[in-house]
Structure formats: structure tokens, C-alpha cells
Amino acid sequence: MPSLLFLICFVPVTIGIGWLLVDYFDDRELLYFLERIVVAFVLGCLVLYLCVFIIAPFRLDKIIISSLLFFLSCVSFFGLRLVPWMSSFNLIVLKLTKISDHKLGSILWLTAFIIGTTSLLQGLAPPNDYDSLAYHLSFPRYDIELGYSSPNLKTGWPAAFFPAFGGHLSRVALLISDATAAQMVHGLFGLVGATVSGLLLRRLEYGTNTALLGAIMFLVIRMVIWQMGSAETDVPVAALVSLSLLLYLILRSNQSFGLDIIFGLVLGSSVLMKYHGFVA
């Protein structure tokens, strides 16, 4: 239960922080609302990572991370105020009304919701995958016991040289909640990947049902289902690379310096999550 509460607080805080950046750089509003939400979440996570990256080598404990999250929560309030909640709510109601008139669309929405939710809730189970137990969660736990973020070179693991985007998110989750919260934070990127898959198809001028099928096809990949319940980084890097591709497609037809910066930040985030992001 504490992990669910952590997740409920984590999502709006990251979106609020990221929305400030999206609203500033995307001043021409080239991104649709759902695209803005996804990008805002990613950029919010990136800001949190950078803060921990700066602070953790000196001190890493519950007091300092709680203070950081309190500060970021206050900042996120200003971003959340900029989100057009009312118009978005009216649009959702309109979409749901249309969906209720189409049996296939209703089935696809329900299927995507069930698969996405159950895959995310897998994270409530105790960690049981090898990589998380070996380094994705054990390295952050070791740093918490030390009281600061160390290079972990003495472990002899090549994983000590892995980028720390996912690791720092896990450090925050472990300090404020527990390992299941860390797993569910990584699982959120699976939902990002599914959403981006659908948004890519919409940008390519396919219909809503086709976009839903694309999202479902992402969610039912065996690796995605498995890793959404773990602290593995393959699904997050796939989501970030897919989001980079979406932004690139938008930039091809709409030149914008601000969107160039967002594209660079998201692409950089994929590399910070795993070096494979650079290759992709």
C-alpha cells in the first residue's frame, strides 16, 4: 500500500515539473495534450534524476530526499496549474461518449486498460528477477546504507558503469517507500511506451482503433509484461527511444527550436537510462 501511495504522489509531481518545461519550450503548442503529458512526465523524471545526481554523492538519506521531494512538489504545483484540466476533462467525456457507441473501440480501450493496469500492478510483488537483485536494486540499497552515492567499483561488477537514471529513481523510491515502489516507477515507463506507440500511429494519420491496437501490441510483448513488474531498464529505454522518434516525426514537419531542445532532452534521457539508447 505505501508503494501505491508513493506512485499516486510521484506521477503528478513529475508531470507538474515537466509541464513547466514543456509549456516554456513548446510555446507554439505543436504537441497535443496527451503528448504533452507524456513528455512532461519524462522531463519531470529527468529533473528528479539530475537533482539526485547532484546531491547523492554528498548525502543520501530519507531526510535529504524528503526535503528534495517537498521542494519539487511545491514547484510542480505551478506546473499543474497550467494544465488545461477542464478542457481536457470535457474532451475525455466526449471521447468516452463516442466510444460507447462503438463496440470494437470499447473492447480495445478495455483491453489496453486491463493489460496496462495488471502489468503495472505486478510491481507490488517482491523483487524476483536476477538483474534487479544483482545490481538494479542492490546498488541503490548499498548506497543508502552508505549514506551517499558511491561508484560501486569495489563490487567488481561491470554494472557499476551503467548510467544511473533508473538507479536514482530507485534510490528515491527505496528511501521514501520500498522496492515495490521502485519497480512500479519503472513500470510506468511501460505505460509511456504503450501510449507513445498509439500516438505515433495517430501522427501517421491512422485511426483511433489502429492506435489502440498499436498500444496493445506494445503491452503484450512478453518482455514488456515481465519487465513492467521489475526495476529493469529495457522497457524504459524502449519507451524513451519511441518518444524520441515521435518528437522527431513532429519536428520533420514543424521546425521549432524549443521542440529541438525537448527532443534532445528525451533522447539524452534514453542514453541515461541505458547505453543502448545511444545506439537506437
Side-chain angles (χ1 to χ4, degrees):
M1 199 63 182
S3 55
L4 284 175
L5 181 61
F6 173 82
L7 206 69
I8 292 170
C9 297
F10 181 85
V11 172
V13 169
T14 49
I15 290 176
I17 296 168
W19 194 275
L20 289 171
L21 296 172
V22 174
D23 190 66
Y24 179 77
F25 290 119
D26 185 30
D27 53 346
R28 292 165 53 191
E29 298 188 2
L30 298 174
L31 300 177
Y32 299 143
F33 174 75
L34 192 53
E35 292 169 341
R36 281 186 154 217
I37 287 289
V38 171
V39 172
F41 170 75
V42 170
L43 294 185
C45 290
L46 178 62
V47 170
L48 177 58
Y49 157 77
L50 291 173
C51 291
V52 177
F53 174 78
I54 294 170
I55 296 171
F58 305 99
R59 183 175 174 182
L60 183 65
D61 56 37
K62 184 171 288 189
I63 294 176
I64 194 70
I65 295 300
S66 297
S67 301
L68 171 63
L69 290 179
F70 176 76
F71 171 74
L72 293 178
S73 299
C74 294
V75 174
S76 71
F77 174 76
F78 297 98
L80 293 173
R81 288 184 61 187
L82 298 175
V83 180
W85 296 112
M86 188 55 66
S87 59
S88 303
F89 175 77
N90 293 334
L91 180 62
I92 292 172
V93 171
L94 180 62
K95 290 285 186 182
L96 290 176
T97 303
K98 290 182 178 179
I99 290 169
S100 62
D101 297 330
H102 297 84
K103 187 175 181 179
L104 178 59
S106 301
I107 293 173
L108 291 173
W109 274 108
L110 184 61
T111 302
F113 175 79
I114 291 174
I115 297 174
T117 303
T118 53
S119 297
L120 180 65
L121 292 178
Q122 288 181 105
L124 290 172
N128 59 7
D129 62 291
Y130 176 80
D131 288 352
S132 293
L133 295 173
Y135 46 87
H136 285 310
L137 290 176
S138 60
F139 280 6
R141 175 66 71 184
Y142 177 68
D143 288 346
I144 290 171
E145 292 175 358
L146 287 178
Y148 63 91
S149 179
S150 65
N152 293 306
L153 298 179
K154 293 182 179 180
T155 61
W157 272 92
F161 296 98
F162 285 4
F165 193 168
H168 281 338
L169 294 181
S170 294
R171 287 173 177 85
V172 172
L174 287 169
L175 278 166
I176 304 301
S177 184
D178 52 26
T180 61
Q183 293 182 141
M184 295 186 75
V185 166
H186 284 75
L188 287 173
F189 284 91
L191 300 183
V192 169
T195 304
V196 172
S197 298
L199 292 172
L200 273 167
L201 289 166
R202 290 295 288 157
R203 280 287 180 175
L204 293 172
E205 300 183 356
Y206 287 94
T208 302
N209 288 349
T210 305
L212 285 169
L213 280 171
I216 291 170
M217 289 177 70
F218 180 90
L219 287 170
V220 298
I221 296 172
R222 182 180 180 184
M223 185 190 74
V224 173
I225 293 176
W226 169 52
Q227 290 202 7
M228 278 185 67
S230 72
E232 300 268 5
T233 55
D234 298 287
V235 171
V237 78
L240 292 170
V241 170
S242 300
L243 182 56
S244 301
L245 177 59
L246 173 63
L247 292 169
Y248 174 71
L249 288 177
I250 298 171
L251 279 169
R252 280 179 63 91
S253 55
N254 301 279
Q255 292 301 314
S256 166
F257 180 70
L259 212 57
D260 285 336
I261 294 175
I262 293 177
F263 170 67
L265 291 173
V266 174
L267 191 60
S269 297
S270 67
V271 181
L272 287 172
M273 186 63 72
K274 196 167 187 176
Y275 290 130
H276 297 65
F278 180 77
V279 179

